[in-house]
Amino acid sequence: MLAPIQRFIDPLRKAAAQQIFGKEEVIDKILAAMLCGGHVLLSDVPGTGKTTLARTLAYALDADFRRIQLTPDMMPADILGVSIPDPKTQAFVFHKGPVFAQIVLADEINRATPRTQSALLECMEEGQVTVDGVTYALEQPFFVMATQNPVEMQGTFPLPEAQLDRFLLCLSLGYPSREQSLALLAQGGAREATIPVTTVQAWQSAQAVCRTIHVSTAIQTYLVALAEATRTHRDIQLGLSTRGLMTWQAVSQAAAALHGRDYVIPEDVQWLAVDCIAHRLVCRGGGSWTEGTDPCRTLVEEILHTVPVPKETLWKS
């Protein structure tokens, strides 16, 4: 049953590991998001490999790839596309923007104005673009990896909670370890070019299988109990949304598949909990995910330790 997922995951893991050293867990989490049709926000300082990782995944998949460098003067049409009159027929012809790709890197999304941010996030949610009253379907599968620098906040437009909620996972690559840095220097920057190792069709097949991963009633009850704990916690002002709960289940299915199982266990739910839901919460007492001082991550870990875990005999039922 899991063979299509392994044919998608294993080659991508190897290709990404050749370009990004020592970040296997982050890579696996990004692959989990790709498996269940979600999008990822990477919050990191410049130069940690975010663009390299997105490009590597696209090249390894032989997928259409576009990188959008977002700036304050960028308009929605620069992303979505624009209708231009044809000189011969005088009819308006739609010219597609860079969002019409299967893998899109939205670099420094917090430098774009809220209007432009909303245009991109609508594409992520709806999988389509509407220009001049005409709707155009985006290519499928469709995956957005957005980045932002959490340090240089001057002149930026931090994503509000409603827009952060569109991202399935919020991750950070972080700096390499001392050993990884030494290996990079020894390599001298020379890396083999990434070649296609799997296909977009394999990606679609893996997504279809991922949706069939079994989630028992006990696991669903566990997910609901965790969500309710965020909504009633005295230190959390805004708890987990319904969208967040549903996507948490979906990415837990992907986590199970990544670990070679056709059913979800509590460890799958816990593995992605902080990255899936902390950015969707609003905590009391200051601090935010976009500022890099998010107390919600700590509170999510606390909740995971307080909500009872279902018994093993109920996981497959």
Side-chain angles (χ1 to χ4, degrees), residues 101-102 126-128 137-142 200 203-204 207:
Q102 288 158 329
E126 304 296 336
Q128 63 185 28
L138 294 171
E139 296 190 48
Q140 295 297 326
F142 178 61
V200 171
W203 183 8
Q204 290 176 307
Q207 285 185 330

Side-chain angles (χ1 to χ4, degrees), residues 39-43 50 68-72 74 79 104-122 124 144-149 155-160 163-164 166-167 289-290:
H39 308 285
V40 171
L41 178 61
L42 290 176
S43 182
K50 301 183 292 294
I68 307 172
Q69 180 61 57
L70 292 154
T71 57
M74 182 171 282
I79 295 175
V104 175
L105 174 64
D107 217 354
E108 296 188 294
I109 189 172
N110 57 330
R111 296 205 176 277
T113 61
R115 181 182 179 189
T116 304
Q117 290 174 359
S118 297
L120 176 61
L121 296 172
E122 181 181 3
M124 294 162 52
V144 173
M145 184 185 296
T147 73
Q148 68 175 15
N149 182 350
T156 64
F157 303 89
L159 295 173
Q163 293 183 358
L164 281 172
R166 301 298 201 281
F167 288 98
W289 188 87
T290 54

Side-chain angles (χ1 to χ4, degrees), residues 38-88:
H39 308 285
V40 171
L41 178 61
L42 290 176
S43 182
D44 243 325
V45 295
T48 53
K50 301 183 292 294
T51 300
T52 300
L53 178 55
R55 198 184 305 275
T56 297
L57 292 173
Y59 289 175
L61 272 166
D62 198 20
D64 293 335
F65 173 72
R66 297 290 186 276
R67 176 180 178 272
I68 307 172
Q69 180 61 57
L70 292 154
T71 57
D73 61 347
M74 182 171 282
M75 299 296 290
D78 297 322
I79 295 175
L80 306 180
V82 63
S83 296
I84 301 176
D86 184 281
K88 296 181 180 179

Side-chain angles (χ1 to χ4, degrees), residues 157-228:
F157 303 89
L159 295 173
E161 286 73 17
Q163 293 183 358
L164 281 172
D165 198 44
R166 301 298 201 281
F167 288 98
L168 175 63
L169 300 177
C170 287
L171 304 167
S172 174
L173 281 173
Y175 289 117
S177 67
R178 180 183 178 86
E179 292 73 19
Q180 293 157 4
S181 296
L182 288 170
L184 283 168
L185 293 177
Q187 191 183 53
R191 302 182 188 180
E192 295 183 6
T194 302
I195 61 173
V197 293
T198 185
T199 64
V200 171
Q201 289 72 30
W203 183 8
Q204 290 176 307
S205 298
Q207 285 185 330
V209 173
C210 186
R211 289 191 287 269
T212 67
I213 299 295
H214 178 65
V215 186
S216 67
T217 302
I219 294 296
Q220 290 176 335
T221 302
Y222 181 51
L223 282 163
V224 171
L226 290 167
E228 289 178 341

